[in-house]
Amino acid sequence: QLRTRPAAMSTTRVRHELIAWSLPADMIPEALRRRAPDVDQDCYLAVRCLLPSAAAAAARAGANAGCEVTPLSVLVPCRAAMYAKFPLHGTYFQTNEVFLDARTAVAPAMVPARRLEFLPTVSVFLGSSVASICRGMSRAEV
């Protein structure tokens, strides 16, 4: 489920595209739901964690559970990350920016792969600036 584009040599032009799963409310970690309970619950995303330790933990968890397990890191919508107090209300950043949850980045959630099978997916573009993320995209695509 992970798809990346090769990074350019210059760090000002770095852009990666990841495929993320759109999480239903019951898959959002409890600590994140408590942080901003009524804010953008339908905008949490998850990406496969690529840490070698996460892959090893997923393999062990899968062997114990008898099914394939995927290690996930959660991407938190901007308003929820800012406790619903975002100064640029209604802007591109409020509606399109996500932040990596520090807790699930280092200790990913272990989720049976079958739970992810029918979840909607979206493309997430990562980069060092808005210009680098949107490079080559038309205004309609942005």
Side-chain angles (χ1 to χ4, degrees), residues 8-9 12 15 21 24 45 63 68 103-105 121-122 125 139:
M9 295 304 286
T12 61
R15 180 173 93 176
W21 292 277
L45 303 174
E68 184 181 350
R103 185 173 293 143
T104 59
T121 58
V122 295
F125 296 95
R139 178 170 272 185

Side-chain angles (χ1 to χ4, degrees), residues 37-52:
D38 299 321
V39 178
D40 298 335
Q41 291 288 312
D42 58 339
C43 296
Y44 283 80
L45 303 174
V47 293
R48 182 184 307 268
C49 181
L50 297 178
L51 293 173

Side-chain angles (χ1 to χ4, degrees), residues 29-32 34 72-74 100-109:
E30 183 62 33
L32 293 176
R34 281 194 314 261
L72 296 181
S73 294
V74 177
L100 179 63
D101 172 50
R103 185 173 293 143
T104 59
V106 296

Side-chain angles (χ1 to χ4, degrees), residues 70-81:
T70 304
L72 296 181
S73 294
V74 177
L75 300 175
V76 181
C78 184
R79 283 181 12 120

Side-chain angles (χ1 to χ4, degrees), residues 16-40:
H16 296 281
E17 179 180 356
L18 300 177
I19 301 301
W21 292 277
S22 182
L23 294 179
D26 67 320
M27 289 181 72
I28 300 169
E30 183 62 33
L32 293 176
R33 276 190 281 160
R34 281 194 314 261
R35 180 182 184 129
D38 299 321
V39 178
D40 298 335

